[in-house]
Amino acid sequence: MELTFKDVNYIYSPGTPFEYRALENFSMHVPSGSFAAVIGHTGSGKSTLIQHINGLLQPTEGTVQVGGFVIEAGKKNKHLRDLREKTGIVFQYPEHQLFEETVEKDIAFGPKNFGVEEAEIEQRVADALEAVQLSEEMKDKSPFDLSGGQMRRVAIAGVLAMKPEVLVLDEPTAGLDPRGQKEMMEMFYRLHEQEGLTTVLVTHSMEDALTYADSVVIMNEGKKFMEGEPLEVFKQKEQLRDVQLDVPEVLAFLEKVENRLGVAIDYRKQSLAELAKDLTSELGRGDGHE
Amino acid sequence: MNNSMIIGQYVPGHSLIHRLDPRTKILIIFFFVITVFFANSVWSYAILTAFAIGTALATRVPLSFVAKGLKPVWFLIIFTFLLHLFVSRQGDILFTVLGFPFYEESLIQGATLSLRFFLLILFTSLLTLTTSPIEITDAIESLLHPLKRIKFPVHELALMMSISLRFIPTLMQEAEKISKAQASRGVDFRTGSIKDRMSAIIPLLIPLFVSAFKRAEELAMAMEARGYQGGEGRTKIRELVFYKKDYSAFLFFLLVIAATIGTRM
Ligand SMILES: Nc1ncnc2c1ncn2[C@@H]1O[C@H](COP(=O)(O)OP(=O)(O)OP(=O)(O)O)[C@@H](O)[C@H]1O
Ligand SMILES: [Mg+2]
């Protein structure tokens, strides 16, 4: 399902001294099946933005379109339930939403609410557990007896079990260990590819955006600051610095290599090992010329 | 989410009322409440109403916001008035509408009672609008200090109050966050039968309790780790001091009381 924001404004607590404009004339388009990353300083409105995708927030002005669903300012939304079944949101620190007695029941909670059949639910729970790399035996444990990282996985499994077509991830790896972060991002990417999901990732990690996203939106104070392909966007070092963001380390490194050693290497999402190989071969070629 | 309840909603600002010592504000409110019950003439009510509205204006909090916060109480005020008008029958018949008699005394009683009600609510809400919860707690601790002699746990009470006050907004935020997460998983908090809605609240309450207990435990641990051991010998980071403006406020308020008493019938 494609995703379109058109001139969206959102104001918290309008008409009070606490009035706050969290989104300002925000437009963006995410084609069906593509992977978009949203980056921005803390408080720039990223979480506000994604809550519009399944109608938790309704724009104060403007329109949000998700597949065939339209959420318009000032109009009543009739098909919220159907929309929510098709959009899975993994919130910041999703482990706080666990409540059932067992891991299995908690994962089954979403599908059950949307009226999925018993047998199908069982299958989905098993699939979701496998996707987040939790063993089958975990099923009967209480979610509150698990470690923080395991709880996070259970919560994510609960969203995956809804089989959404649009997957929204709000800093899903914040607070995990580096290895867990990598595993989890790879898992999301695999699902994105396999299921043909439309994915929106909110992140502070420029590296993740560079590695996984087809497009990047940089937000600043509720407005869209920059937008485009990751490589293009991350080339604009000065502009990024204006909103207190850094260039991804790989790109910064390659730029330094070019400046110091005079060898330009194209970044094509190589792994570190591949990059090292490219570098040595480039350097070797350079030596040969002299 | 708390758009209509201002009771307990602090609006930061720099008006004179904001800057008064919280003890000054509490004491003035205390005596204002008593004085309202002494008023009994048009003039005495006029003076108190002028004082209350003048103070409300002086807070520089937008009046529309103050009025909006009083919304849940407007109903009570109007209800009180109508009840008196239709139920009690005292004094002369003033006029008759569609065969229904309106009594003079009932009308006056209804009006004064609702006015009192309005004044009390308005004036006390000004305290919470202009004073942060922490200031209020400090003031209460300081005002109750004499009770320490009779072994009343003043410090502990104040600590409990300030901790609860501190965590109310946190809990509200948390509740909002969790209910959004569950709504995304298909919980419908708004429609359905009473029974459905009751069971919809469980996925909200359990995570909320879990996190509240976790927070309490962490807080206790953090306090102990930093050497907290009760109120004995503990110094204050915010000392309360009466300034000239506080004395002026008391003086002005005394004049208001005197004028109110003086215009009594
Ligand atoms: N419920 C609310 N009421 C009032 N203001 C809010 C509310 N939620 C968020 N805000 C304000 O809106 C702005 C954007 O908040 P948002 O949560 O969207 O930021 P964010 O980009 O997700 O930040 P972070 O990276 O810290 O998660 C912030 O300034 C915040 O204070
Ligand atoms: Mg956020």
Side-chain angles (χ1 to χ4, degrees):
Chain A
M1 295 208 290
E2 65 173 356
L3 191 70
T4 312
F5 278 69
K6 203 156 166 259
D7 299 321
V8 172
N9 283 275
Y10 187 78
I11 301 177
Y12 281 109
S13 320
T16 73
F18 303 100
E19 182 173 302
Y20 185 85
R21 187 181 285 268
L23 283 183
E24 203 170 329
N25 291 328
F26 187 91
S27 299
M28 110 174 153
H29 178 74
V30 183
S32 185
S34 83
F35 195 124
V38 178
I39 301 183
H41 205 244
T42 182
S44 56
K46 307 180 294 292
S47 299
T48 308
L49 174 74
I50 59 159
Q51 287 173 40
H52 283 81
I53 299 178
N54 74 347
L56 286 172
L57 297 180
Q58 188 175 10
T60 311
E61 281 167 46
T63 329
V64 177
Q65 204 166 340
V66 184
F69 302 94
V70 182
I71 306 171
E72 222 171 324
K75 290 221 178 125
K76 220 169 135 59
N77 299 300
K78 280 170 255 159
H79 306 290
L80 272 189
R81 203 183 143 78
D82 300 331
L83 171 61
R84 286 188 185 159
E85 185 174 359
K86 295 209 158 61
T87 36
I89 300 194
V90 175
F91 284 92
Q92 267 174 308
Y93 299 100
E95 55 272 27
H96 295 164
Q97 73 198 36
L98 300 175
F99 75 100
E100 281 281 15
E101 293 152 72
T102 67
V103 167
E104 181 177 21
K105 278 192 190 170
D106 211 291
I107 299 177
F109 182 68
K112 219 182 210 157
N113 282 328
F114 291 116
V116 179
E117 283 165 40
E118 252 347 285
E120 163 87 16
I121 290 182
E122 213 164 296
Q123 185 57 46
R124 286 193 187 185
V125 171
D127 290 348
L129 272 174
E130 197 191 319
V132 298
Q133 295 171 8
L134 286 176
S135 66
E136 186 80 18
E137 300 101 69
M138 287 280 185
K139 230 170 52 174
D140 300 313
K141 283 200 178 178
S142 157
F144 299 106
D145 289 341
L146 305 179
S147 77
Q150 288 170 328
M151 283 170 86
R152 171 83 52 97
R153 283 162 199 261
V154 172
I156 290 174
V159 174
L160 298 181
M162 289 162 45
K163 293 230 167 185
E165 293 176 30
V166 177
L167 184 60
V168 180
L169 308 164
D170 195 349
E171 297 184 38
T173 60
L176 293 182
D177 61 281
R179 186 179 173 151
Q181 290 189 358
K182 189 151 186 276
E183 279 172 11
M184 194 150 279
M185 278 316 302
E186 279 170 0
M187 183 272 289
F188 285 129
Y189 194 66
R190 214 177 321 119
L191 270 177
H192 167 82
E193 299 265 272
Q194 271 170 15
E195 311 283 324
L197 302 180
T198 308
T199 307
V200 178
L201 168 73
V202 171
T203 182
H204 282 289
S205 159
M206 310 299 262
E207 278 69 28
D208 283 349
L210 185 63
T211 317
Y212 302 108
D214 301 316
S215 64
V216 183
V217 171
I218 309 267
M219 292 191 65
N220 185 41
E221 293 174 357
K223 286 186 280 251
K224 186 164 71 185
F225 182 71
M226 279 160 96
E227 172 182 44
E229 275 181 39
L231 265 180
E232 295 304 313
V233 169
F234 292 142
K235 269 184 196 154
Q236 328 270 337
K237 226 170 28 177
E238 272 72 39
Q239 284 201 55
L240 286 175
R241 198 165 297 136
D242 285 345
V243 289
Q244 284 121 44
L245 293 174
D246 285 324
V247 175
E249 265 172 39
V250 201
L251 297 187
F253 172 71
L254 289 181
E255 191 187 310
K256 266 196 190 134
V257 168
E258 188 171 352
N259 289 347
R260 291 264 183 86
L261 305 172
V263 233
I265 291 175
D266 261 350
Y267 181 72
R268 311 175 307 269
K269 307 196 177 180
Q270 302 98 316
S271 70
L272 222 49
E274 286 166 343
L275 209 57
K277 215 182 277 167
D278 287 355
L279 191 56
T280 39
S281 78
E282 278 292 327
L283 284 175
R285 190 139 51 98
D287 284 348
H289 277 287
E290 279 163 37
Chain B
M1 65 191 298
N2 43 358
N3 286 341
S4 63
M5 279 305 269
I6 53 166
I7 296 184
Q9 187 149 345
Y10 171 52
V11 184
H14 299 285
S15 74
L16 172 67
I17 312 291
H18 279 88
R19 284 179 289 125
L20 283 179
D21 188 294
R23 291 172 298 176
T24 309
K25 291 190 253 188
I26 291 183
L27 287 173
I28 288 183
I29 284 175
F30 182 74
F31 288 106
F32 180 85
V33 169
I34 296 175
T35 315
V36 165
F37 287 101
F38 277 98
N40 66 354
S41 67
V42 174
W43 272 111
S44 55
Y45 276 116
I47 290 168
L48 288 178
T49 309
F51 177 62
I53 289 180
T55 315
L57 287 173
T59 61
R60 302 259 180 84
V61 175
L63 276 191
S64 62
F65 189 66
V66 180
K68 217 163 144 195
L70 293 178
K71 227 181 348 192
V73 231
W74 274 124
F75 168 75
L76 264 177
I77 293 174
I78 292 169
F79 183 73
T80 313
F81 180 67
L82 292 180
L83 200 72
H84 262 271
L85 209 55
F86 292 120
V87 178
S88 84
R89 310 194 154 181
Q90 291 158 3
D92 306 325
I93 294 184
L94 209 57
F95 51 87
T96 318
V97 179
L98 300 171
F100 192 90
F102 284 83
Y103 295 88
E104 186 182 0
E105 197 62 22
S106 311
L107 196 73
I108 293 176
Q109 265 194 14
T112 51
L113 215 67
S114 349
L115 180 61
R116 275 184 186 173
F117 211 47
F118 168 73
L119 287 178
L120 294 182
I121 304 282
L122 172 67
F123 208 69
T124 38
S125 76
L126 292 183
L127 173 72
T128 46
L129 276 171
T130 62
T131 323
S132 74
I134 291 293
E135 282 183 296
I136 296 179
T137 324
D138 283 346
I140 289 177
E141 183 172 2
S142 160
L143 289 171
L144 291 184
H145 195 75
L147 291 181
K148 259 211 158 118
R149 293 236 193 88
I150 57 164
K151 298 266 190 264
F152 186 82
V154 176
H155 173 77
E156 285 72 15
L157 189 77
L159 183 72
M160 264 165 58
M161 265 183 67
S162 58
I163 291 179
S164 345
L165 285 170
R166 158 67 185 76
F167 281 105
I168 285 173
T170 315
L171 275 179
M172 303 249 289
Q173 268 174 14
E174 197 119 338
E176 185 174 329
K177 215 191 100 179
I178 296 170
S179 69
K180 276 179 176 166
Q182 309 299 31
S184 307
R185 291 209 281 167
V187 176
D188 193 344
F189 293 102
R190 300 231 169 80
T191 55
S193 65
I194 300 268
K195 193 168 153 270
D196 284 350
R197 273 194 252 186
M198 293 284 275
S199 61
I201 223 128
I202 294 173
L204 171 62
L205 279 189
I206 293 181
L208 208 54
F209 271 106
V210 169
S211 88
F213 281 122
K214 211 183 273 167
R215 255 181 230 289
E217 210 169 289
E218 283 169 5
L219 182 69
M221 207 116 76
M223 282 169 70
E224 240 165 76
R226 293 202 239 164
Y228 177 80
Q229 36 183 259
E232 226 41 64
R234 201 175 152 77
T235 53
K236 293 219 157 294
I237 190 162
R238 296 173 301 267
E239 291 280 358
L240 292 177
V241 186
F242 286 121
Y243 292 104
K244 220 165 109 190
K245 53 178 177 283
D246 294 293
Y247 295 114
S248 314
F250 278 125
L251 205 66
F252 182 66
F253 181 60
L254 269 182
L255 286 176
V256 172
I257 295 184
T260 312
I261 306 289
T263 50
R264 261 165 63 89
M265 286 187 298

